[in-house]
Amino acid sequence: MEHNEVVIVKSKNDIKEVSGLDRIMVWSSEEPLYKVLEESGKTLDRKAKMNMRICRDVKYQEGAVFKSGRASFTVYKLSEVLEKKPVLDTNDRILVNDSEVNKIFETIQQLVNLGYLVDVYSEFEEKARVINDKLISNFSILSKNANEFSAELEAVVQGEDYEELSENIKLIRDNAEGIKQDVLKIRDETIRVAVFSTKKSGKSMLVNALLGEEYAPTSLELATPNIIIYRPHNSRIIKLEYKGEIMEFLNANELREYIKEEFSRINLKGAALNDMIVYYPAKEGINYEIWDTPGPDLAGSEHGKLTERAIENTDVAVFIVDYSKYAQESEIVLLSKIKEVFDKQGKKHSLIGVINKIDLMFADANTEHIIPRVSDFIHEKFRELGFERFMVIPTTAMVYFYLNKLAEKFPELREAQDFRKAISEIQEGATFYDLPYEIQTYITVVANYTNSLRMTHGKIFTFEDVNNLTNFPIVKKYISYVYESKAKVEKRYAVAKSIELRATTISNEINASKLLLSQEVGIIAEAIKDFEERTKEIGEKFDFAIENVEKSFAEKVKESLTEISKKIGDNFEYFLTGNERFNVFKKMLQEKLEEICKESWDPKDALLNMSELTYEVRATVDGHLNNFVSALKPVLFDLTQQLNSALNEDHEVFVSAVESLNNKLSTIGIVSQEDGQVFELPKIELKVDLEHVVEEFPERIPKVGEILIPVSDALKERNLLAITLDMLFIPIEDVKVYKYTEEALKLKTYELLDVLRDKLGKLRKYIEEELSKLMEEMSSMIKEELDEKKLLVEEYYASVNSAVQNLKSNLHMEKSKKEKLNNMYEKILGSFTGLKRVVDSIMEV
């Protein structure tokens, strides 16, 4: 087998056999990978754990396209990608179907677990990227034409007395100004990366690690009571903008000491400080703005408000999870708020999870030191909590930062073959205590970390090995990838759509104004009347369909929840009835008691693991819940079809009405458009997709835990002979330490059934409650999606309707006013035509 060959593993035994062979393993079983690695790690040697590269397989129901160089392959599993090319690089790409968007995050997560950073994107993203590229390549001419059009429009309006026509030209002026502002958004584009966490999770340390300098005081010193914005600039001088003043600092230490003083002053009051803007010397690879935010769980309500403002204004959110206290309620609340805002803003790919402080894992003798185990465990926990579009990268920002600062101070460390030995020599050297205190701290922390690595993995490490084991290089690369390939594209695509919609509205208004000079007022009025008659019910079908969909979904969910609850209840009752089942439980209990009776330890907390029953219950519940999810898919498919059918009907009627209006108006012969059309529609796709909502559901269905029953109270008194022999230190292998009676066994079995019945009843209630919560969330997601689509549809139709209504109201104005209005539009037509041509070319895909 070649180096880095891919092996599909399905059991712990497979992992044990393959782990020492330097192969990429793909876990294809349903059992959670983190559990398997926790158990397997106990049987693996240190080298195998150190070098383990493993991920879970990802299935693509609709197929995905793997692109490597000029070659393209259709794949249905991530393992197929890795089999075709085990060693992936940044030039490889995976295109995922729009109906399986969540698979993007799952794929990236698994590839990051292997140490790969590959571009994974959807069909929609591919289209948005094409528009983004055209927007940037045409930006100079777009900006020039937008400014010329806006300037010419204002010059014309100011040059003559158009006050009497102010209402007529308001639509064009508003949209012209809107285009100008949209262009400025692109020109002055700043991608903001904000770092969020609850207190003492290493947030400011991560910021320092990204920036490469210790600008920010860490929570070990003082908690952050404000927003600190770090902006790169082309100067070696560090500047701070604060409370209306700009101060200069010679180095990061000087700045940090000033910030610490401000923090100390305000932390005594528990209040918040003004924002601080730090202009730092730009570094290669970090050309975005970084926001260090206050933890929302600090004392004082102002901190929560600052955090909310940061969430609203950031483009990429880096959410830090503390390895030692993951998924706490405060973390879940904060992450939920970020997700809620990002969902509303259409930021689908801009939330990054970082598991900080994994150096604690290597110092913990009671856990398996396998990094993929950590990321898979925490990733799964957050998925169960509903955070599907969220992936996590384990790291230790502190060790990475200290390590690289030491390499600047002692360049020879980078070349040392035995890094641990080299750092120990510095620590034990005669000049160690002559070094600055912070350098002593760096050395001590890094030395402890490398000692932990040596103890757990038993090998010699180079500087590069230790640097890579911090996993922070992956964190930096992934943040850059998200802001460059995801956040920027999302932001620019939204701007491009806005510009196109505004340009179409202006075009329709200008073209319609030419008709005002016609003597055929009757034909125009009749054409408008016919258009209004045709379109008077536009939107009603869609509105009705939305109302019907929300109602139908609620009814179907209620019906399905009642049905699944009954089925689960019936199955649970079956598990506990009948003489055969009684005898099975009695035998299991007897075997457990026999086992306890032979032990010398105190059995007061002994538990009977009902593993077989757990398996039956789990299989039954999973079967019902999977059927429930499967039943939802066609429901959402049908509802999506209803919505799109109504939307298409409305759209077809509207397009037909616009065509008819254009045809009738073309007979007048005034419009000089090449195609002879007065009105056009924006190139925006009107389509609803609700099916993706159910993607987030399967991984969140309630899980059945182990069923454990306390059994020690069925035992009688301790055997006197056993007690005596035990006191005399005489082996008691053939003497039962505890005993029980047949009657006690029978009574305990009945009691066992009652306990099981109670446990299963609580489990059923728990499942009902969790499913109800999930259905409420799903209904909320559907409503938000439909509200957003409804707004887009209204803007789409308004691009024509507003111009038609203006034309109608202007038909009977005085001839001199008509000529004046038309004259004004003629003056701006040349500059607008150039602008419109550029916009059309950008949006043409």
Side-chain angles (χ1 to χ4, degrees):
M1 292 191 291
E2 295 179 359
H3 180 73
N4 275 326
E5 182 179 346
V6 174
V7 179
I8 309 296
V9 289
K10 299 180 179 179
S11 68
K12 290 186 278 288
N13 195 50
D14 288 347
I15 292 176
K16 186 177 180 181
E17 289 181 7
V18 177
S19 60
L21 302 177
D22 193 23
R23 302 290 183 259
I24 291 175
M25 293 180 281
V26 180
W27 178 249
S28 66
S29 176
E30 292 299 318
E31 191 174 358
L33 178 58
Y34 67 85
K35 283 188 178 180
V36 176
L37 293 179
E38 183 68 39
E39 294 169 12
S40 299
K42 297 168 185 173
T43 63
L44 300 176
D45 60 37
R46 291 182 294 184
K47 182 180 177 182
K49 286 189 275 190
M50 173 70 185
N51 297 324
M52 181 180 289
R53 299 181 69 199
I54 188 168
C55 72
R56 284 191 287 113
D57 212 350
V58 180
K59 297 177 182 178
Y60 311 106
Q61 299 296 331
E62 303 293 329
V65 179
F66 171 48
K67 301 180 180 183
S68 183
R70 295 183 178 180
S72 294
F73 310 92
T74 298
V75 295
Y76 291 89
K77 293 180 181 179
L78 179 59
S79 54
E80 294 175 20
V81 171
L82 294 166
E83 285 171 340
K84 291 184 181 298
K85 190 178 179 185
V87 182
L88 300 174
D89 56 52
T90 52
N91 294 317
D92 295 319
R93 293 153 292 150
I94 300 175
L95 176 63
V96 176
N97 192 287
D98 278 342
S99 63
E100 298 186 279
V101 172
N102 285 355
K103 296 296 174 68
I104 292 175
F105 302 88
E106 184 61 26
T107 301
I108 292 175
Q109 179 69 65
Q110 300 313 315
L111 291 175
V112 165
N113 287 349
L114 297 176
Y116 293 144
L117 183 56
V118 173
D119 187 14
V120 187
Y121 58 102
S122 66
E123 295 166 317
F124 171 78
E125 282 183 272
E126 186 173 45
K127 174 186 173 183
R129 288 178 181 185
V130 171
I131 291 174
N132 171 72
D133 291 343
K134 292 168 77 173
L135 180 65
I136 298 308
S137 62
N138 288 281
F139 179 72
S140 294
I141 187 66
L142 174 66
S143 178
K144 177 175 175 291
N145 287 358
N147 286 328
E148 286 179 355
F149 171 62
S150 182
E152 189 168 337
L153 175 61
E154 290 307 309
V156 169
V157 172
Q158 299 299 327
E160 294 187 43
D161 180 16
Y162 284 103
E163 186 176 345
E164 59 183 343
L165 299 173
S166 60
E167 287 301 313
N168 301 94
I169 61 178
K170 185 178 185 303
L171 183 68
I172 288 186
R173 293 184 78 178
D174 288 349
N175 281 283
E177 180 60 27
I179 291 175
K180 189 177 175 182
Q181 293 304 316
D182 283 339
V183 170
L184 288 175
K185 286 179 186 176
I186 301 170
R187 189 199 69 183
D188 301 331
E189 179 182 63
T190 298
I191 298 297
R192 301 181 180 94
V193 176
V195 184
F196 299 93
S197 76
T198 54
K199 61 185 176 184
K200 297 192 180 300
S201 298
K203 173 173 52 61
S204 295
M205 182 58 76
L206 185 134
V207 170
N208 287 333
L210 286 172
L211 296 171
E213 292 289 347
E214 197 165 4
Y215 294 111
T218 64
S219 60
L220 294 175
E221 299 169 306
L222 289 166
T224 307
N226 66 342
I227 295 173
I228 306 181
I229 301 168
Y230 294 91
R231 287 181 183 163
H233 72 150
N234 297 319
S235 171
R236 298 176 64 85
I237 299 173
I238 300 169
K239 296 182 179 181
L240 173 65
E241 186 177 332
Y242 177 53
K243 294 195 292 190
E245 297 181 18
I246 295 181
M247 295 163 270
E248 294 186 356
F249 298 88
L250 295 175
N251 53 51
N253 288 341
E254 194 178 285
L255 169 67
R256 189 174 73 257
E257 288 304 314
Y258 175 82
I259 294 176
K260 279 171 64 176
E261 286 181 17
E262 288 297 296
F263 281 12
S264 297
R265 181 176 61 80
I266 205 69
N267 271 313
L268 292 173
K269 302 176 182 178
L273 283 174
N274 293 355
D275 290 356
M276 293 178 175
I277 303 176
V278 175
Y279 298 91
Y280 67 94
K283 284 183 171 276
E284 185 178 352
I286 307 291
N287 54 350
Y288 45 81
E289 195 172 278
I290 300 176
W291 289 32
D292 188 1
T293 65
D297 47 2
L298 291 172
S301 61
E302 287 300 312
H303 297 99
K305 292 178 182 177
L306 290 175
T307 301
E308 288 180 10
R309 177 160 65 84
I311 294 170
E312 291 284 349
N313 288 282
T314 192
D315 301 297
V316 178
V318 178
F319 185 83
I320 301 179
V321 179
D322 190 327
Y323 167 78
S324 64
K325 52 185 176 79
Y326 59 87
Q328 291 189 324
E329 184 178 357
S330 57
E331 287 183 324
I332 295 166
V333 169
L334 177 55
L335 188 57
S336 298
K337 180 63 180 176
I338 297 171
K339 181 179 179 295
E340 178 188 345
V341 173
F342 274 30
D343 284 347
K344 287 180 180 178
Q345 294 178 344
K347 298 171 185 172
K348 298 181 175 65
H349 306 90
S350 301
L351 179 55
I352 303 168
V354 174
I355 309 165
N356 199 21
K357 303 184 183 180
I358 59 162
D359 50 299
L360 298 176
M361 175 183 72
F362 293 111
D364 185 355
N366 297 317
T367 189
E368 291 304 327
H369 307 133
I370 305 172
I371 290 179
R373 179 194 67 81
V374 177
S375 57
D376 191 70
F377 174 71
I378 294 181
H379 177 61
E380 281 300 298
K381 291 305 170 189
F382 277 102
R383 277 163 63 96
E384 289 172 11
L385 291 167
F387 302 104
E388 290 290 308
R389 298 180 179 183
F390 181 64
M391 50 85 63
V392 294
I393 310 173
T395 189
T396 168
M398 180 177 68
V399 173
Y400 172 85
F401 178 73
Y402 289 176
L403 182 68
N404 283 273
K405 295 309 289 183
L406 287 177
E408 292 177 12
K409 178 76 175 175
F410 307 103
E412 65 273 16
L413 289 175
R414 290 186 181 275
E415 308 303 323
Q417 292 303 305
D418 186 341
F419 180 81
R420 187 183 73 90
K421 181 179 177 183
I423 199 75
S424 296
E425 287 174 354
I426 296 173
Q427 188 178 28
E428 295 165 6
T431 60
F432 175 73
Y433 290 103
D434 296 331
L435 295 169
Y437 179 73
E438 66 179 22
I439 299 297
Q440 292 181 37
T441 302
Y442 296 173
I443 292 170
T444 303
V445 169
V446 172
N448 290 340
Y449 181 65
T450 52
N451 284 333
S452 296
L453 291 178
R454 181 64 184 271
M455 289 172 63
T456 55
H457 297 301
K459 65 170 279 188
I460 294 173
F461 294 95
T462 64
F463 171 88
E464 201 59 36
D465 290 333
V466 179
N467 195 54
N468 288 335
L469 277 169
T470 67
N471 232 30
F472 203 78
I474 291 262
V475 172
K476 290 175 68 175
K477 288 178 183 176
Y478 187 68
I479 291 173
S480 294
Y481 163 70
V482 168
Y483 103 81
E484 191 67 50
S485 300
K486 304 284 187 179
K488 268 188 180 180
V489 172
E490 284 180 345
K491 200 169 184 178
R492 289 172 180 171
Y493 180 69
V495 173
K497 284 201 306 181
S498 174
I499 290 174
E500 200 252 353
L501 195 61
R502 293 179 188 282
T504 302
T505 302
I506 293 172
S507 177
N508 288 334
E509 181 68 17
I510 291 177
N511 288 335
S513 72
K514 297 173 185 176
L515 296 168
L516 295 176
L517 299 180
S518 170
Q519 300 298 316
E520 306 292 344
V521 174
I523 294 177
I524 297 172
E526 189 60 35
I528 291 175
K529 183 180 178 181
D530 178 63
F531 173 80
E532 289 177 330
E533 185 64 28
R534 284 168 174 260
T535 60
K536 66 181 180 182
E537 295 180 356
I538 290 293
E540 290 183 10
K541 287 188 177 70
F542 188 51
D543 288 346
F544 179 77
I546 288 176
E547 186 180 330
N548 184 56
V549 161
E550 292 175 346
K551 182 180 177 182
S552 298
F553 184 73
E555 290 174 352
K556 182 64 180 178
V557 164
K558 185 177 179 181
E559 175 189 325
S560 299
L561 286 176
T562 302
E563 183 181 344
I564 194 173
S565 178
K566 184 177 185 307
K567 286 181 178 179
I568 290 174
D570 290 346
N571 284 126
F572 283 3
E573 190 58 37
Y574 166 75
F575 292 144
L576 304 175
T577 55
N579 290 330
E580 182 181 346
R581 184 67 65 167
F582 177 85
N583 290 330
V584 168
F585 291 153
K586 181 180 176 182
K587 183 181 177 183
M588 290 171 62
L589 179 60
Q590 184 173 6
E591 288 173 353
K592 182 66 178 178
L593 293 175
E594 287 288 341
E595 177 190 330
I596 296 172
C597 285
K598 294 176 183 178
E599 300 293 336
S600 59
W601 45 264
D602 187 344
K604 64 181 180 181
D605 295 324
L607 297 171
L608 173 59
N609 188 342
M610 309 289 290
S611 55
E612 291 184 16
L613 179 64
T614 300
Y615 177 79
E616 286 186 71
V617 170
R618 188 177 288 160
T620 299
V621 170
D622 286 350
H624 286 313
L625 292 179
N626 287 330
N627 289 338
F628 178 59
V629 173
S630 298
L632 279 180
K633 289 182 178 180
V635 170
L636 285 173
F637 175 80
D638 289 343
L639 296 179
T640 299
Q641 293 293 96
Q642 288 179 35
L643 287 166
N644 282 321
S645 174
L647 192 55
N648 290 335
E649 279 185 48
D650 278 346
H651 186 246
E652 286 174 8
V653 169
F654 195 79
V655 169
S656 175
V658 172
E659 287 177 354
S660 175
L661 179 62
N662 281 329
N663 289 336
K664 290 178 179 178
L665 297 177
S666 66
T667 61
I668 298 174
I670 289 182
V671 180
S672 58
Q673 289 278 91
E674 293 179 7
D675 58 5
Q677 305 298 298
V678 177
F679 301 104
E680 64 174 307
L681 287 165
K683 299 177 182 66
I684 296 174
E685 185 179 25
L686 297 182
K687 184 181 178 182
V688 177
D689 175 20
L690 297 182
E691 294 173 79
H692 75 275
V693 174
V694 80
E695 284 181 46
E696 302 190 12
F697 189 75
E699 297 300 329
R700 298 180 58 191
I701 57 180
K703 302 295 188 292
V704 177
E706 298 290 340
I707 299 176
L708 304 171
I709 306 294
V711 296
S712 57
D713 57 349
L715 300 172
K716 296 302 178 184
E717 74 279 0
R718 210 171 169 208
N719 190 322
L720 288 175
L721 175 60
I723 295 172
T724 304
L725 293 175
D726 191 22
M727 292 174 62
L728 296 173
F729 301 102
I730 298 174
I732 56 174
E733 294 177 5
D734 297 325
V735 180
K736 291 184 177 181
V737 180
Y738 294 92
K739 58 184 179 178
Y740 63 91
T741 64
E742 179 65 26
E743 184 63 25
L745 175 62
K746 190 174 181 182
L747 288 172
K748 186 62 184 177
T749 305
Y750 282 118
E751 184 183 324
L752 177 81
L753 285 168
D754 290 338
V755 172
L756 284 174
R757 185 169 283 106
D758 181 61
K759 279 184 175 287
L760 293 180
K762 289 178 179 176
L763 176 60
R764 177 183 177 182
K765 185 177 180 182
Y766 163 73
I767 291 170
E768 290 174 354
E769 289 173 350
E770 289 302 301
L771 285 178
S772 294
K773 288 179 189 175
L774 290 177
M775 290 300 98
E776 285 177 13
E777 289 181 29
M778 191 178 282
S779 297
S780 178
M781 288 174 64
I782 289 173
K783 187 177 188 313
E784 285 180 12
E785 180 114 358
L786 293 177
D787 286 347
E788 182 182 330
K789 187 60 68 175
K790 186 176 178 180
L791 182 62
L792 178 63
V793 169
E794 289 171 355
E795 290 175 345
Y796 178 87
Y797 292 140
S799 66
V800 172
N801 285 336
S802 57
V804 170
Q805 290 307 308
N806 280 346
L807 174 61
K808 179 182 178 181
S809 62
N810 293 339
L811 271 180
H812 300 289
M813 71 165 54
E814 296 174 11
K815 183 179 180 182
S816 60
K817 282 187 179 181
K818 290 181 180 179
E819 290 174 348
K820 195 171 187 178
L821 184 63
N822 190 258
N823 181 53
M824 184 195 74
Y825 286 160
E826 283 293 331
K827 288 179 180 179
I828 63 173
L829 182 60
S831 59
F832 175 72
T833 301
L835 172 61
K836 185 68 165 60
R837 190 177 293 118
V838 175
V839 173
D840 287 346
S841 68
I842 289 171
M843 298 303 294
E844 195 68 48
V845 178

